């Protein structure tokens, strides 16, 4: 079992920045990839960014150059630094951990981009 707890969401104006964090606990040695997904109202959940245990990253085209995912293995934490936020970035952001037998999700954190 893996438990994921997200933090850092909130309200930000367009052009602003936010940093999301996700702390993993439990069977963390089994985690291969950690990532952030988001789901806006009426839309499917989509991958935002992911990072492997070796540090390789992957980003959705819509966030490349604006978002940065990083991983602190010592603290079992993954961060998503979001800059130049746009109204279309508004969604519930979910932390995800992939293991050999499946995946785990956090509870989600709301990101609202509005003036």
């Amino acid at each position: 079992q893996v438990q994921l707890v997200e933090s850092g969401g909130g309200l930000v104006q367009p052009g602003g920045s936010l940093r999301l964090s996700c702390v993993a606990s439990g069977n963390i040695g089994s985690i291969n990839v950690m990532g952030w997904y988001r789901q806006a109202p009426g839309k499917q959940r989509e991958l935002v960014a992911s990072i492997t245990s070796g540090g390789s990253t992957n980003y959705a085209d819509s966030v490349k150059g604006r978002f940065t995912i990083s991983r602190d293995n010592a603290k079992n934490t993954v961060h998503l630094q979001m800059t130049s936020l746009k109204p279309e970035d508004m969604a519930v952001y979910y932390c995800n951990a992939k293991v050999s037998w499946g995946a785990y999700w956090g509870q989600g954190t709301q990101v609202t981009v509005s003036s």
Side-chain angles (χ1 to χ4, degrees):
Q1 288 279 1
V2 174
Q3 294 79 42
L4 303 171
V5 178
E6 301 113 332
S7 62
L11 171 65
V12 64
Q13 292 185 342
S17 299
L18 276 178
R19 188 191 195 209
L20 306 183
S21 297
C22 173
V23 179
S25 61
N27 194 0
I28 56 176
S30 63
I31 298 174
N32 298 315
V33 182
M34 292 192 73
W36 288 94
Y37 288 70
R38 67 187 181 187
Q39 188 167 20
K43 295 187 177 182
Q44 289 190 332
R45 192 172 296 189
E46 62 176 359
L47 174 69
V48 177
S50 63
I51 185 167
T52 68
S53 56
S56 297
T57 58
N58 181 48
Y59 294 93
D61 287 343
S62 60
V63 307
K64 283 181 180 176
R66 300 188 297 122
F67 291 10
T68 303
I69 190 170
S70 60
R71 187 167 176 168
D72 185 340
N73 290 327
K75 296 183 179 180
N76 306 320
T77 301
V78 63
H79 302 288
L80 184 69
Q81 180 67 49
M82 305 185 292
T83 64
S84 302
L85 282 160
K86 304 175 181 179
E88 51 263 43
D89 295 317
M90 185 164 60
V92 178
Y93 283 69
Y94 297 90
C95 182
N96 172 273
K98 287 185 170 54
V99 297
S100 60
W101 59 87
Y104 294 90
W105 295 91
Q107 80 284 358
T109 185
Q110 176 71 46
V111 171
T112 301
V113 184
S114 175
S115 55

